[in-house]
Amino acid sequence: MSVQAGSKVSNSTFLLAGFPGLEREYPWLSIPFSCIYAMVLSGNCLVLHVIRTEPSLHQPMFYFLAMLALTDLCMGLSTVHTVLGILWGLNQEIGLDACIAQAFFVHGLSCMESGVLLAMAFDRFTAISKPLRYTSILTNTRIISIGVAILGRIFLTAPIVRLKFFDYCRPHILSHSFCLHQDLLRLACSDIRFNSFYALALVICTLFLDAVLILVSYILILHSVLTIASREERFKSLQTCVSHICAVLVFYIPIIGLTMVHRFGKHLSPVVHVLMGNIYILFPPLMNPIIYSVKTQQIRIRIQRWFTKPN
């Protein structure tokens, strides 16, 4: 459907722009995107299954990893129908209620993932700085409490529901292949000051604050590691943090990139904005299972055992 059709869309329906200018390439683009979504869903399900079935992985570090995999899995499921729906030529329209629900989950799951990464940083800090008290600090009860607090973060995006009561007098054309809060705000003619301020405050109080606390935790970890006399022990301690550091970079770099493109890339092609948006929602869920499967010995050994098991 062409962009011009946006003026004919009903008041409760929006048109997802998809990949402007690349409409003829959709059949080809659908192949890598379908493969990426298949890897996101299968990779995170594999990590969850390994952790569930391997008793040796029933410890705090891997419980947090399971939370990360579940969050990534939900992120993939929340956007797969609109992205592939456009590329497969099935549907380019989305109702207002469905759009608000998708934006709620996309932003809420981002807040949750940031919280999981912060919890994993606390886990690494406790394991390295207070190894003798590790099991007494990260008890099952405390892990459940942390998990509930992380899950509760998704409701911080509840004000997105206010979008249902806005008037949308501008052309109903969304600039991505999925719904985002700022995209709907851009089309609204109602008073959006509360939503705009709340969105900024939420980013500062969750994503930015989490990033600062993660950085502080690694400064403290480095300080603890430097007090270890043995060079080999120092290296082994830092090795346990590599996977988490990679996961943090994989999560925050696309967010920073998307923010820079939206803030300073007004002159860039719309395709660049769309690609950055897709990298933001797909890169962490795609890479996290790969990172932890390669870098975490227990998971790697378990997976290798499955694939090398004799018939």
Side-chain angles (χ1 to χ4, degrees), residues 275-293:
L275 286 175
M276 283 304 302
N278 279 280
I279 289 172
Y280 159 64
I281 62 162
L282 286 175
F283 193 57
L286 174 67
M287 292 305 299
N288 284 335
I290 296 172
I291 290 168
Y292 279 94
S293 297

Side-chain angles (χ1 to χ4, degrees), residues 120-130 213-228 234 237-241 244-245:
M120 296 173 85
F122 175 68
D123 169 79
R124 291 298 83 210
F125 166 73
T126 306
I128 292 172
S129 301
K130 306 178 188 298
L213 292 174
I214 290 170
L215 180 61
V216 169
S217 71
Y218 271 101
I219 292 173
L220 296 174
I221 286 171
L222 189 59
H223 179 266
S224 298
V225 168
L226 292 176
T227 62
I228 299 174
R234 287 201 300 267
S237 297
L238 290 174
Q239 275 286 93
T240 64
C241 300
H244 180 251
I245 292 171

Side-chain angles (χ1 to χ4, degrees), residues 72-283:
D72 285 338
L73 182 64
C74 291
M75 180 66 88
L77 291 172
S78 69
T79 58
V80 61
H81 63 289
T82 53
V83 176
L84 294 187
I86 292 170
L87 294 175
W88 288 346
L90 300 177
N91 192 16
Q92 204 167 338
E93 294 180 5
I94 186 169
L96 177 60
D97 290 345
C99 193
I100 291 172
Q102 187 177 57
F104 172 81
F105 282 108
V106 168
H107 294 293
L109 289 167
S110 289
C111 289
M112 283 179 61
E113 180 145 351
S114 180
V116 173
L117 292 172
L118 177 59
M120 296 173 85
F122 175 68
D123 169 79
R124 291 298 83 210
F125 166 73
T126 306
I128 292 172
S129 301
K130 306 178 188 298
L132 298 179
R133 296 178 56 203
Y134 179 71
T135 54
S136 63
I137 293 174
L138 285 171
T139 60
N140 287 339
T141 302
R142 188 159 290 166
I143 291 169
I144 292 171
S145 299
I146 292 172
V148 171
I150 290 170
L151 182 62
R153 278 185 163 214
I154 197 169
F155 297 106
L156 293 174
T157 57
I160 286 178
V161 177
R162 295 181 77 246
L163 294 169
K164 182 174 176 60
F165 307 104
F166 286 1
D167 292 321
Y168 299 94
C169 59
R170 297 181 178 88
H172 291 192
I173 302 167
L174 300 170
S175 60
H176 290 279
S177 46
F178 50 89
C179 295
L180 292 174
H181 177 249
Q182 60 266 33
D183 250 6
L184 283 168
L185 284 186
R186 184 173 51 83
L187 306 182
C189 299
S190 305
D191 185 354
I192 63 171
R193 286 176 296 179
F194 173 79
N195 277 61
S196 297
F197 175 78
Y198 185 86
L200 178 61
L202 186 62
V203 168
I204 293 172
C205 295
T206 55
L207 302 184
F208 179 74
L209 183 59
D210 289 348
V212 171
L213 292 174
I214 290 170
L215 180 61
V216 169
S217 71
Y218 271 101
I219 292 173
L220 296 174
I221 286 171
L222 189 59
H223 179 266
S224 298
V225 168
L226 292 176
T227 62
I228 299 174
S230 169
R231 182 177 179 180
E232 184 179 342
E233 287 299 317
R234 287 201 300 267
F235 180 75
K236 284 176 64 178
S237 297
L238 290 174
Q239 275 286 93
T240 64
C241 300
V242 171
S243 298
H244 180 251
I245 292 171
C246 291
V248 169
L249 294 176
V250 157
F251 177 72
Y252 279 101
I253 288 176
I255 288 180
I256 294 170
L258 183 64
T259 303
M260 291 295 124
V261 166
H262 275 293
R263 179 68 181 83
F264 303 108
K266 306 294 184 185
H267 62 287
L268 296 174
S269 166
V271 175
V272 176
H273 291 259
V274 173
L275 286 175
M276 283 304 302
N278 279 280
I279 289 172
Y280 159 64
I281 62 162
L282 286 175
F283 193 57

